[in-house]
Structures are given as C-alpha cells and as structure tokens.
Amino acid sequence: MGLHFHNTLTRRLEPFESVEAGKAGVYACGPTIYGHAHIGNFRTFMFYDLVHRVLEWRGYEVRFVMNFTDVDDKTIRAARAKEMTLDEYTAPFAEAMLGESDALGIRRADLYPRATVYVDRMIDLIQRLLDRGFAYATDDGSVWYDISSFEAYGRLSGRDLEQGRPGERVAEDEYAKDDARDFALWKGVKREDEEVGAAWDAPWGRGRPGWHIECSAMALAEIGDTLDLHLGGEDLIFPHHEDEIAQSEGATGKPFSRVWLHAKHLRVEGEKMSKSAGNFVTVRELLDEGVSPAALRHLLLSAHYRSELNFTRAGLQASARAVARLLDFEARLLSHPEAPAIGDRGTGSGDAEGEAGRGIRDAADRAIEAFTAALLDDLNVAGALAALFVFVNEANRRLDAALGDPSHGLPADALEAARAALGEMDGVLGILEVGRRSRSVDAELSAWVEERIRARAHARADRDWSEADRIRDELTAAGVVLEDSATGTRWKKLSEEG
RNA sequence: GGCGCCGUAGCCAAGUGGUAAGGCAGAGGACUGCAAAUCCUCGAUCGUCGGUUCGACUCCGACCGGCGCCUCCA
C-alpha cells in the first residue's frame, strides 16, 4: 500500500497522488506572530514535521512552505501598545518560534514567507477577483469576497449556505458589505494601521490585506496554482481554509489543493487551553524550566493527528522514560561487540551466533514492515511507535542471549541491519535525533568519566566494593549513570528528563 | 439549532467482523558484589442497552458521558 491520507475535503482516506510524480508542494498555515507560540501550536507544527519527514522518507522531492502571519488585528494592536512598527514587534517572535522548533527537531521549511512581504501579490490577486466578478469594493476602501459567486463555497467545511443564519451577527458588523457572510479581502485604512506601518496603497484605496488572502497569495506565489497538500489546525477549516479555496480558485479557475489535512487541538491536563483558565503553556517556558525536548517531541507525536491530544505533566514524564529506553537501546546496539558476518562463515546453520544474527535481522525486517504500513496509513504514528518498541524488545532479547555466549559477539551484518532499521525509523520520528543532544558531553567530561571508570574497574577487580561504590557515587553526583555488562561498562549523562 | 468527533486496562494510546499493539506506572522473578540497563511472568471483553450476524470491541439504532467548529483561535 502506498501513502494514504484522510482528506478533509472528501472526508475519505485517499491514495496520495501529487500533481507531479515524485514531487510534493506543501503549504502549512503558520502562526500569527504576536506572542510566543504555545504548546498547542507546536502540536500542529509537530504534525507538519511528521508530514514533511514522511514525504521525504518516501522519496518525494518536497517543497515545504510555512507562512508567518505578521499583519492582522492582533499584531497591529500589540505593536501599537508597544509603540513599535509591525516588523519590529513581530520579527523576534518569528525567530523565537524557529529556535523552539529547532530544539524540538522540527525540520525547517524551505521557505517562511511573511505576509507583509507579499502585499503586492495580494493586491494582484484581489484585482483578479474584482475583474472576474468574485469581489466588490465598498466606499470605505474595503474589498469583499462575494461568497454567493463561488458555487463550491462551504464544501471543505461541509456546510450548506442556505442553512446559515444570516443576520445573527449583522448587528455587530461595522462594515458595509452586502452579505454578513462575505469576508474581507482588503480592509480600508485606519489611523491605527498607519501608526505601525500596516497600510499599503492599492488601486481601490489605501489599506491592508485581510487574513485569508495572505495565505492564498503566498501559497500561489511560492508553490503554484495547485498545491499537493495544505495543512493546518482544525480550527482553520472554517472560515480560513474555506475562504482560501474561494479566493484561489476564483482567481485561477483551478483546484487549489489536492489534499487538506487538519490536526486536532490539544488539551492541557484535560482542559481546553486558554489564558483565562491559567493553563496556557508555551514551549519557551517548558524548555526554560528544563523539560526534555525529546520527551516533548515524543509526547506531541504520540497520538494520531486527528485525535485530541492531552498534554499533561504525567504524560511528559512517561514520554521521558520511553525516550530513555530508546536511547539506552541505541547505545547498547552501537557498542555491542561484533563477530564475523554470517556471510563470512559458510552456511552458519545450527551455530548459535548465526541464529542470533538471523533473529535480530528478521526482527529488523518485521519492524520496518510494520512501521511503514502504519505510517503510510494516514500517518499512524502510534502504530509506528509500537513497531519500534516491539523491535527494541526483540533486539534486546537477542543481545541478552549473545552475552551468554563466550564471544559475546553478534554477526556484524546482523548488527548493521539492526542499526540501519533503527536509523530509518528515527529518521522519520526524530526522537533519538533530539534525545542524543541531551546526552552529548564534551571531551573533558568524557575523559574524566573514562578515567573514573578505569579506577572503579581496578577497585572492582580487587573486590573493593566500597571504593567502587564511592566512585560511582562521585559520577552520579556529576549526572553520570553507569551500566555494567559482560562486555564492559557503558555510561550515559542524564539530563533533566520530564 | 446546524455540522462533526470521541468514550479501549491506574494513566497515555493503536487496532481488526472471528475472542484486544505499544509506552508509562505497579507486583513478582532472573541477571548483578550492590546498582543501572535488560529479560521473563502478572492486568482490560473494549461507555450503557438493544439489533444485524454462525460470530462484534469492530456494522446499525437508541441512550449516557465528554468535546470541537458555526467569521479571523494551531
């Protein structure tokens, strides 16, 4: 089975077929940079990362674009409050978000367009919509999209226009649009906009772009008339993405995106996250308080993207333990002594090493098979993680068995197969990739630890247990944990996990 | 009111019309000088009630409970 996605547009599982074979143009709705991104934003960004990595893993040449919304009501309001220009105010938040993404191992997009840089494209797009009869201007210099002109309006979100309840919010509507449900393509200038530099000249009057047109303009400009995938949080289905479709297709006459994927929202300790509830968590805060980035990554990845994810401290702790298990396994696999490859010793049938080698290699093959099947099926990460952990267990068992053998070694090619499988799986999950950073040490510490371990080995050889334990305590105090085994002593640096 | 989602062991979380992956936590055991790591053993009949079926947790219905969207919130 090839790669399949649950397309919001059709509400069905569909095989993924990009416009151009082997290539994938992806547009992901990024954050509005008026503050630090919160854990919920990152649940969505982690989902983007999974899509990104899976496509690359499957061999697609990916063009991944994620925008930053830097001009809208919130950024303008916040910039005014600080008496800064829009750019002065928003730029640091974009930088911060990228830094946090890096910490969590989220792959960089190929491009991060910012709305203010694409205003010319937005104006062009609006002009085309006016020319083609999808939009109309009003006296205040605003331009509106006439949703009655776009037949497919409502298809993405599954709503029937006739069943809407026009009128309900008209009273609070300060604009002169024809229909309460028409949305702004361009907002006539206001003094507040000018104060922060959020105003541009357009043929129909000075003003600023509406939110929805920003994404249409950037996506069409940077990917093309038809995207292969458009990603976002579930809250964007309506009206944001519905409006993007209306605008883009109104202007180009072509399908805007083949597939739409939406991530469900995250909850915090079982509650909806909100500032008023006092459970508003930013990744910045979590990282500052020493939470393990790999644990955070594991937790954000642990549930299917179309399921609600509950972010809890207990869950973070559990994820930290799971990550530690993976890191310990990797260290063990890398340090395990090698014996001659199965292929170098004749048939090998009946010999213990050969059998252990075949066992671990078969386990690696089964793991990759199950892992792949899970991810190709609409990104079932939980299933993929299960395949990985089954592999960890099976491989650990083989490694244990090898220790009972005089040579302790496993065939080099079998170990290589196991390492390759682990590497392939983590290339998609990125958990070890991030976790290793927390365990990395400098040469100085490393040399000291190695010296201490040698001293302890001598003490142990002399059966001087109190000295051996004293040295181990010394290392523990430095955050170093030892693991004795028949093949020597491994050590690891513990980070604040959880 | 409209549209839609969810309810699987203490917690997190997959999944299939034929008797339930995985992670964390817990108990016991093996290994270890002691640890650490690892391994082994132990736990759920899948919200409730009906229906369809040879057989349902998986299909249908009702109900109970939780939740999302319905104009700018990932």
Side-chain angles (χ1 to χ4, degrees), chain A residues 155-454:
Chain A
R155 184 170 157 222
L156 180 72
S157 54
R159 53 201 78 214
D160 181 350
L161 279 186
E162 303 313 312
Q163 290 202 346
R165 294 187 296 172
E168 184 166 311
R169 304 213 183 202
V170 170
E172 62 187 67
D173 199 312
E174 58 196 286
Y175 299 100
K177 46 185 168 174
D178 293 351
D179 184 309
R181 296 162 303 174
D182 287 350
F183 60 90
L185 294 171
W186 191 261
K187 298 183 174 184
V189 72
K190 289 184 186 169
R191 203 188 64 238
E192 305 91 276
D193 300 342
E194 293 284 10
E195 285 175 9
V196 297
W200 294 263
D201 286 316
W204 46 85
R206 194 167 168 77
R208 62 178 170 99
W211 177 39
H212 315 302
I213 198 73
E214 298 179 2
C215 282
S216 286
M218 292 185 272
L220 293 175
E222 296 301 340
I223 295 180
D225 288 350
T226 300
L227 318 176
D228 291 308
L229 286 161
H230 192 130
L231 318 177
E234 59 169 343
D235 55 301
L236 298 183
I237 296 172
F238 187 88
H240 188 54
H241 289 164
E242 197 72 75
D243 292 349
E244 280 188 47
I245 292 173
Q247 294 163 340
S248 307
E249 298 190 358
T252 69
K254 297 176 188 163
F256 181 44
S257 181
R258 295 202 153 190
V259 181
W260 291 81
L261 304 181
H262 293 94
K264 259 242 183 344
H265 277 186
L266 160 149
R267 300 174 73 77
V268 172
E269 302 290 347
E271 305 281 313
K272 180 171 180 168
M273 180 171 61
S274 72
K275 281 176 177 158
S276 57
N279 61 354
F280 196 86
V281 184
T282 65
V283 166
R284 161 68 41 209
E285 292 160 358
L286 291 170
L287 294 176
D288 285 350
E289 71 180 67
V291 162
S292 150
L296 198 45
R297 182 176 177 90
H298 174 94
L299 182 58
L300 292 176
L301 229 31
S302 63
H304 185 91
Y305 75 93
R306 282 188 289 110
S307 300
E308 209 165 59
L309 176 76
N310 190 12
F311 174 82
T312 64
R313 292 291 168 164
L316 207 44
Q317 197 62 245
S319 284
R321 295 291 310 144
V323 170
R325 178 166 163 81
L326 293 177
L327 285 166
D328 288 343
F329 171 66
E330 181 186 44
R332 192 177 179 197
L333 196 57
L334 291 176
S335 68
H336 196 90
E338 297 184 353
I342 300 171
D344 296 340
R345 60 171 85 192
T347 68
S349 67
D351 100 332
E353 282 181 357
E355 192 178 316
R358 277 188 294 279
I360 202 168
R361 212 167 45 188
D362 288 349
D365 289 346
R366 282 196 302 276
I368 291 295
E369 193 180 337
F371 179 88
T372 303
L375 286 177
L376 292 186
D377 182 12
D378 196 31
L379 309 173
N380 181 353
V381 235
L385 278 167
L388 170 59
F389 278 99
V390 166
F391 172 61
V392 170
N393 174 264
E394 290 183 341
N396 265 143
R397 201 186 323 154
R398 304 289 179 185
L399 294 175
D400 274 359
L403 292 181
D405 212 53
S407 78
H408 297 152
L410 277 172
D413 51 353
L415 282 173
E416 191 40 52
R419 290 166 188 156
L422 183 64
E424 178 173 346
M425 290 189 271
D426 198 62
V428 181
L429 298 173
I431 293 168
L432 289 168
E433 177 186 315
V434 173
R436 276 185 222 115
R437 297 177 196 158
S438 301
R439 284 193 177 181
S440 71
V441 295
D442 56 43
E444 193 184 349
L445 175 67
S446 181
W448 176 72
V449 173
E450 298 291 349
E451 185 280 316
R452 292 284 73 195
I453 287 177
R454 278 194 296 276

